[in-house]
Amino acid sequence: MLTGKHVALYVSGGIAAYKAAYLVRELIRQGATVRVVETEGAQAFVTPLTFQTLSKHAVYTDRFAQLVPDQVAHVELADWTEIALVAPATADLIAKIANGIADDFASTALLATTAPKFVAPAMNVHMWQNPATQRNIATLHADGIQVIEPVTGFLAEGYSGKGRFPEPEQIVAAVTANLAATDTSLPLHGQSVLVTAGGTRERLDPVRYLTNDSSGKMGYAIATAARDLGAQVTLISAPTALSVPAGVTYVGVDSAAAMRAALLQRYATAKIVVMAAAVADFRPAAVAENKIKKTATDYTLTLTKNADILAELGQLKQQQFLIGFAAETQNLLTYAQKKLAAKQADMIVANDVSQAQAGFNHDTNEVTILQPDQAPQQLALASKAVIAQQILQIALKQL
Ligand SMILES: Cc1cc2nc3c(=O)[nH]c(=O)nc-3n(C[C@H](O)[C@H](O)[C@H](O)COP(=O)(O)O)c2cc1C
């Protein structure tokens, strides 16, 4: 998403300025060319030499230092910029942007920039909550500037509150998610994609449940890949340890029944539906109101079959391209072929979860793609992010 993009990073004078050094690294890792502007305050925290070394470009600090005689530096930078990112943004710099003040290099160049602007505030919770700051933030929103909200957590002041600078990866993800959502040339622009992820929890009593080994990583990778193709993604997820990808609508569910209800509510308008969740086939026949006590030596648990969501969606199918997953430990292709036909799916992604490096919990996967009337297609071992992109590319060819 950021490959070859010109990113101007504006660093202002907050304690989070040190994290901007990591942000430069992350932007470059994502393929961007980065130039850095520092306010005077920022230079008190991190020297320009740090940013110059990381970005391989002189840092802009002084609005009257015209290093190239035939160029006005702030205008040259403003015209070069494809993405302007203010991170961390102090309350002071936010106030200047909101009010069109141009009294140093950063505020002047920002006023001259027509590129999309992203502002990531970081400050003390009381500075953040101050009505003046909130008024300025509302002005940024009204002016079409994207505000990457600070997070709640431990602040440099020694107490907790909202105002923390998000991690550099989260900031870059928020920028790329916004760019993907607004890029009309992307193949899934404006299309609704539903993705399920994680292992459902089937409750036994108030403190116990039945679940499985699914980590949710494959579903989350698909949600991210669909977002990067411009889709409006809804991720219906059973509990996982993963962070929700930026720009994705999250619907948290626990049981198979709750996942089914969430899917059916959104199915009619979906273009692509990817069932990457490991949905429990059975649930306890009864949920005990209180914790089951260990009175007997044996305990027999009666299970009831859950609804077959994929088959149900297959029957209701209209314009949707329906993708199911088949995780097996034996006879993979035979079971997966049967599933493809029985569920009326458009694609089954089959993976042998008994293999090292593939399936549950791994960061990599190795899968076989089955489609009606087509030869099976093997996708070699790769990260789940790459496998997710490949699955969606194959689906796109059929759409
Ligand atoms: C140690 C220290 C930490 C600061 N941290 C922040 C901060 O996190 N966020 C903020 O908005 N201001 C913070 N300030 C206040 C700004 O540095 C001050 O408002 C300054 O004028 C900002 O200038 P600039 O916006 O041009 O960088 C801090 C000041 C000091 C001395």
Side-chain angles (χ1 to χ4, degrees), residues 156-190:
E157 291 80 356
Y159 51 85
S160 220
K162 186 166 179 176
R164 242 177 94 87
F165 192 60
E167 293 309 313
E169 293 80 7
Q170 290 173 297
I171 291 178
V172 174
V175 172
T176 52
N178 181 274
L179 293 177
T182 51
D183 185 345
T184 52
S185 69
L186 289 172
L188 287 176
H189 177 76

Side-chain angles (χ1 to χ4, degrees), residues 200-203 210-212 255-256 279-285 301-307:
T200 61
R201 289 179 176 179
E202 308 302 324
R203 206 139 274 287
L210 302 178
T211 191
N212 56 65
S255 64
V279 182
D281 293 327
F282 295 93
R283 68 179 182 281
L301 184 61
T302 308
L303 300 176
T304 305
K305 203 156 194 233
N306 277 330

Side-chain angles (χ1 to χ4, degrees), residues 10 73-82 108-115:
Y10 293 79
H74 67 267
V75 175
E76 190 273 330
L77 177 71
D79 291 347
W80 173 88
T81 301
E82 291 174 301
T108 308
L110 280 164
L111 199 61
T113 295
T114 55

Side-chain angles (χ1 to χ4, degrees), residues 11-16 39-42 45 89-93 96 104 122-124 127 157:
V11 184
S12 53
I15 183 63
T39 63
E40 198 184 330
F45 290 92
T90 54
D92 172 66
L93 186 53
K96 287 183 189 174
D104 62 1
M123 64 195 70
N124 171 272
M127 287 172 88
E157 291 80 356

Side-chain angles (χ1 to χ4, degrees), residues 297-374:
T297 35
D298 294 319
Y299 182 80
T300 304
L301 184 61
T302 308
L303 300 176
T304 305
K305 203 156 194 233
N306 277 330
D308 186 335
I309 307 177
L310 186 60
E312 212 172 329
L313 297 183
Q315 275 165 16
L316 293 172
K317 202 165 62 157
Q318 307 247 322
Q319 81 289 347
Q320 298 89 346
F321 189 88
L322 184 58
I323 304 178
F325 272 70
E328 302 290 351
T329 53
Q330 56 179 346
N331 301 331
L332 177 69
L333 290 187
T334 316
Y335 286 142
Q337 283 287 11
K338 270 192 195 156
K339 197 167 183 176
L340 180 70
K343 314 287 166 106
Q344 298 176 49
D346 298 292
M347 182 194 288
I348 291 289
V349 181
N351 62 341
D352 183 346
V353 288
S354 67
Q355 298 251 330
Q357 308 300 316
F360 290 151
N361 251 314
H362 294 289
D363 291 325
T364 51
N365 212 351
E366 185 177 6
V367 301
T368 306
I369 305 286
L370 302 176
Q371 289 175 276
D373 308 320
Q374 291 191 35

Side-chain angles (χ1 to χ4, degrees), residues 24 110 187 238 313 324 392 394 397:
V24 175
L110 280 164
L313 297 183
L392 290 177
I394 295 170
K397 279 194 201 136

